[in-house]
Short mmCIF file of all heavy atoms in Angstrom, two decimals:
data_model
loop_
_atom_site.label_atom_id
_atom_site.label_comp_id
_atom_site.label_asym_id
_atom_site.label_seq_id
_atom_site.Cartn_x
_atom_site.Cartn_y
_atom_site.Cartn_z
N SER A 1 0.83 -1.21 0.00
CA SER A 1 0.00 0.00 0.00
C SER A 1 0.86 1.26 0.00
O SER A 1 2.06 1.22 0.28
CB SER A 1 -0.93 0.02 1.21
OG SER A 1 -0.20 0.32 2.38
N ALA A 2 0.22 2.37 -0.29
CA ALA A 2 0.92 3.65 -0.32
C ALA A 2 1.49 3.97 1.06
O ALA A 2 2.56 4.57 1.17
CB ALA A 2 -0.03 4.75 -0.77
N LYS A 3 0.80 3.58 2.13
CA LYS A 3 1.30 3.86 3.48
C LYS A 3 2.61 3.12 3.75
O LYS A 3 3.47 3.61 4.46
CB LYS A 3 0.26 3.48 4.52
CG LYS A 3 -0.95 4.39 4.52
CD LYS A 3 -1.94 3.99 5.57
CE LYS A 3 -3.16 4.90 5.52
NZ LYS A 3 -4.15 4.54 6.53
N MET A 4 2.75 1.93 3.18
CA MET A 4 4.00 1.19 3.35
C MET A 4 5.14 1.91 2.66
O MET A 4 6.25 1.99 3.19
CB MET A 4 3.84 -0.23 2.82
CG MET A 4 2.83 -1.03 3.61
SD MET A 4 2.33 -2.51 2.74
CE MET A 4 3.51 -3.67 3.38
N ALA A 5 4.85 2.47 1.50
CA ALA A 5 5.88 3.22 0.77
C ALA A 5 6.26 4.48 1.55
O ALA A 5 7.44 4.84 1.62
CB ALA A 5 5.39 3.58 -0.62
N ALA A 6 5.27 5.14 2.13
CA ALA A 6 5.53 6.36 2.89
C ALA A 6 6.39 6.07 4.13
O ALA A 6 7.10 6.95 4.60
CB ALA A 6 4.21 7.00 3.31
N ALA A 7 6.35 4.85 4.62
CA ALA A 7 7.15 4.48 5.79
C ALA A 7 8.60 4.20 5.44
O ALA A 7 9.43 4.01 6.32
CB ALA A 7 6.53 3.26 6.47
N GLY A 8 8.92 4.16 4.15
CA GLY A 8 10.29 3.92 3.73
C GLY A 8 10.72 2.46 3.80
O GLY A 8 11.89 2.15 3.91
N TRP A 9 9.76 1.56 3.72
CA TRP A 9 10.07 0.14 3.83
C TRP A 9 10.85 -0.38 2.63
O TRP A 9 11.53 -1.39 2.76
CB TRP A 9 8.78 -0.66 3.99
CG TRP A 9 8.15 -0.49 5.34
CD1 TRP A 9 8.48 0.41 6.31
CD2 TRP A 9 7.09 -1.27 5.87
NE1 TRP A 9 7.69 0.24 7.40
CE2 TRP A 9 6.81 -0.77 7.16
CE3 TRP A 9 6.34 -2.31 5.37
CZ2 TRP A 9 5.82 -1.30 7.96
CZ3 TRP A 9 5.34 -2.84 6.18
CH2 TRP A 9 5.09 -2.34 7.46
N GLU A 10 10.74 0.29 1.49
CA GLU A 10 11.47 -0.19 0.31
C GLU A 10 12.96 -0.27 0.59
O GLU A 10 13.61 -1.26 0.28
CB GLU A 10 11.23 0.74 -0.90
CG GLU A 10 9.84 0.70 -1.45
CD GLU A 10 8.97 1.81 -0.91
OE1 GLU A 10 9.27 2.35 0.20
OE2 GLU A 10 7.99 2.14 -1.57
N GLY A 11 13.50 0.76 1.19
CA GLY A 11 14.92 0.78 1.49
C GLY A 11 15.33 -0.29 2.48
O GLY A 11 16.44 -0.80 2.42
N LEU A 12 14.43 -0.64 3.39
CA LEU A 12 14.73 -1.66 4.40
C LEU A 12 14.68 -3.07 3.82
O LEU A 12 15.28 -3.98 4.36
CB LEU A 12 13.76 -1.54 5.57
CG LEU A 12 13.85 -0.24 6.37
CD1 LEU A 12 12.74 -0.19 7.42
CD2 LEU A 12 15.21 -0.09 7.03
N LEU A 13 13.94 -3.24 2.72
CA LEU A 13 13.80 -4.56 2.10
C LEU A 13 14.68 -4.76 0.87
O LEU A 13 14.83 -5.88 0.40
CB LEU A 13 12.34 -4.81 1.71
CG LEU A 13 11.36 -5.04 2.85
CD1 LEU A 13 9.94 -5.11 2.33
CD2 LEU A 13 11.71 -6.31 3.61
N ARG A 14 15.24 -3.68 0.36
CA ARG A 14 16.03 -3.74 -0.87
C ARG A 14 17.18 -4.75 -0.74
O ARG A 14 17.87 -4.79 0.27
CB ARG A 14 16.58 -2.36 -1.21
CG ARG A 14 17.25 -2.29 -2.57
CD ARG A 14 17.51 -0.85 -3.00
NE ARG A 14 16.24 -0.25 -3.41
CZ ARG A 14 15.65 0.77 -2.77
NH1 ARG A 14 16.20 1.30 -1.70
NH2 ARG A 14 14.51 1.25 -3.20
N SER A 15 17.30 -5.60 -1.76
CA SER A 15 18.38 -6.60 -1.85
C SER A 15 18.35 -7.62 -0.73
O SER A 15 19.39 -8.07 -0.26
CB SER A 15 19.75 -5.90 -1.88
OG SER A 15 19.83 -5.04 -2.99
N THR A 16 17.15 -7.98 -0.28
CA THR A 16 17.01 -9.02 0.74
C THR A 16 16.11 -10.13 0.19
O THR A 16 15.33 -9.89 -0.74
CB THR A 16 16.35 -8.48 2.02
OG1 THR A 16 15.00 -8.09 1.73
CG2 THR A 16 17.11 -7.27 2.59
N PRO A 17 16.18 -11.33 0.74
CA PRO A 17 15.27 -12.40 0.31
C PRO A 17 13.80 -12.01 0.49
O PRO A 17 12.95 -12.31 -0.35
CB PRO A 17 15.64 -13.58 1.20
CG PRO A 17 17.06 -13.33 1.56
CD PRO A 17 17.18 -11.83 1.69
N ALA A 18 13.49 -11.32 1.58
CA ALA A 18 12.11 -10.89 1.81
C ALA A 18 11.68 -9.88 0.75
O ALA A 18 10.55 -9.91 0.26
CB ALA A 18 11.96 -10.29 3.21
N GLY A 19 12.59 -8.99 0.36
CA GLY A 19 12.28 -8.01 -0.68
C GLY A 19 12.02 -8.67 -2.02
O GLY A 19 11.11 -8.29 -2.76
N THR A 20 12.80 -9.69 -2.34
CA THR A 20 12.59 -10.45 -3.57
C THR A 20 11.22 -11.11 -3.56
O THR A 20 10.49 -11.10 -4.56
CB THR A 20 13.69 -11.51 -3.74
OG1 THR A 20 14.94 -10.83 -3.80
CG2 THR A 20 13.50 -12.32 -5.00
N MET A 21 10.84 -11.66 -2.41
CA MET A 21 9.53 -12.30 -2.28
C MET A 21 8.41 -11.29 -2.47
O MET A 21 7.41 -11.56 -3.13
CB MET A 21 9.42 -12.96 -0.90
CG MET A 21 8.16 -13.76 -0.71
SD MET A 21 8.13 -14.59 0.89
CE MET A 21 9.26 -15.92 0.54
N VAL A 22 8.59 -10.09 -1.91
CA VAL A 22 7.58 -9.04 -2.07
C VAL A 22 7.44 -8.66 -3.54
O VAL A 22 6.33 -8.58 -4.06
CB VAL A 22 7.95 -7.81 -1.21
CG1 VAL A 22 7.12 -6.59 -1.61
CG2 VAL A 22 7.76 -8.10 0.27
N MET A 23 8.56 -8.45 -4.23
CA MET A 23 8.50 -8.05 -5.65
C MET A 23 7.79 -9.10 -6.50
O MET A 23 7.05 -8.76 -7.41
CB MET A 23 9.90 -7.81 -6.21
CG MET A 23 10.51 -6.51 -5.79
SD MET A 23 12.01 -6.07 -6.72
CE MET A 23 13.00 -7.54 -6.63
N LYS A 24 8.02 -10.36 -6.21
CA LYS A 24 7.44 -11.42 -7.02
C LYS A 24 5.99 -11.73 -6.69
O LYS A 24 5.24 -12.17 -7.57
CB LYS A 24 8.26 -12.71 -6.85
CG LYS A 24 9.63 -12.66 -7.49
CD LYS A 24 10.35 -13.96 -7.30
CE LYS A 24 11.73 -13.91 -7.94
NZ LYS A 24 12.48 -15.15 -7.72
N ASN A 25 5.60 -11.52 -5.45
CA ASN A 25 4.29 -12.02 -5.01
C ASN A 25 3.28 -10.99 -4.55
O ASN A 25 2.13 -11.34 -4.33
CB ASN A 25 4.50 -13.03 -3.86
CG ASN A 25 5.34 -14.21 -4.28
OD1 ASN A 25 5.02 -14.90 -5.22
ND2 ASN A 25 6.44 -14.43 -3.58
N TRP A 26 3.66 -9.76 -4.38
CA TRP A 26 2.73 -8.77 -3.86
C TRP A 26 2.21 -7.88 -4.98
O TRP A 26 2.94 -7.52 -5.91
CB TRP A 26 3.40 -7.89 -2.82
CG TRP A 26 3.72 -8.56 -1.52
CD1 TRP A 26 4.22 -9.82 -1.33
CD2 TRP A 26 3.59 -7.98 -0.23
NE1 TRP A 26 4.41 -10.06 -0.01
CE2 TRP A 26 4.04 -8.96 0.70
CE3 TRP A 26 3.16 -6.77 0.23
CZ2 TRP A 26 4.03 -8.72 2.07
CZ3 TRP A 26 3.17 -6.53 1.60
CH2 TRP A 26 3.60 -7.51 2.51
N LYS A 27 0.94 -7.49 -4.87
CA LYS A 27 0.36 -6.53 -5.82
C LYS A 27 0.93 -5.16 -5.50
O LYS A 27 1.14 -4.81 -4.34
CB LYS A 27 -1.16 -6.46 -5.64
CG LYS A 27 -1.89 -7.71 -6.02
CD LYS A 27 -3.39 -7.45 -5.90
CE LYS A 27 -4.09 -8.65 -5.34
NZ LYS A 27 -5.49 -8.41 -5.08
N ASN A 28 1.15 -4.37 -6.53
CA ASN A 28 1.66 -3.00 -6.41
C ASN A 28 3.01 -2.91 -5.73
O ASN A 28 3.34 -1.89 -5.14
CB ASN A 28 0.66 -2.10 -5.65
CG ASN A 28 -0.70 -2.07 -6.30
OD1 ASN A 28 -0.82 -2.09 -7.52
ND2 ASN A 28 -1.73 -2.05 -5.49
N ALA A 29 3.78 -3.98 -5.77
CA ALA A 29 5.10 -3.98 -5.10
C ALA A 29 6.07 -3.05 -5.79
O ALA A 29 6.06 -2.92 -7.01
CB ALA A 29 5.66 -5.39 -5.09
#
């Protein structure tokens, strides 16, 4: 969601296994 982006979570997940999972499996990732 937009609120997750506003929290800056992208930077915390970048280049991590969890971040890869989010990119592949979440809508609007």
Side-chain angles (χ1 to χ4, degrees):
S1 74
K3 290 181 182 179
M4 294 165 92
W9 288 11
E10 291 96 336
L12 296 174
L13 289 174
R14 188 167 285 115
S15 301
T16 66
T20 300
M21 186 177 284
V22 166
M23 284 192 310
K24 289 181 180 178
N25 299 304
W26 290 40
K27 293 185 219 175
N28 303 323

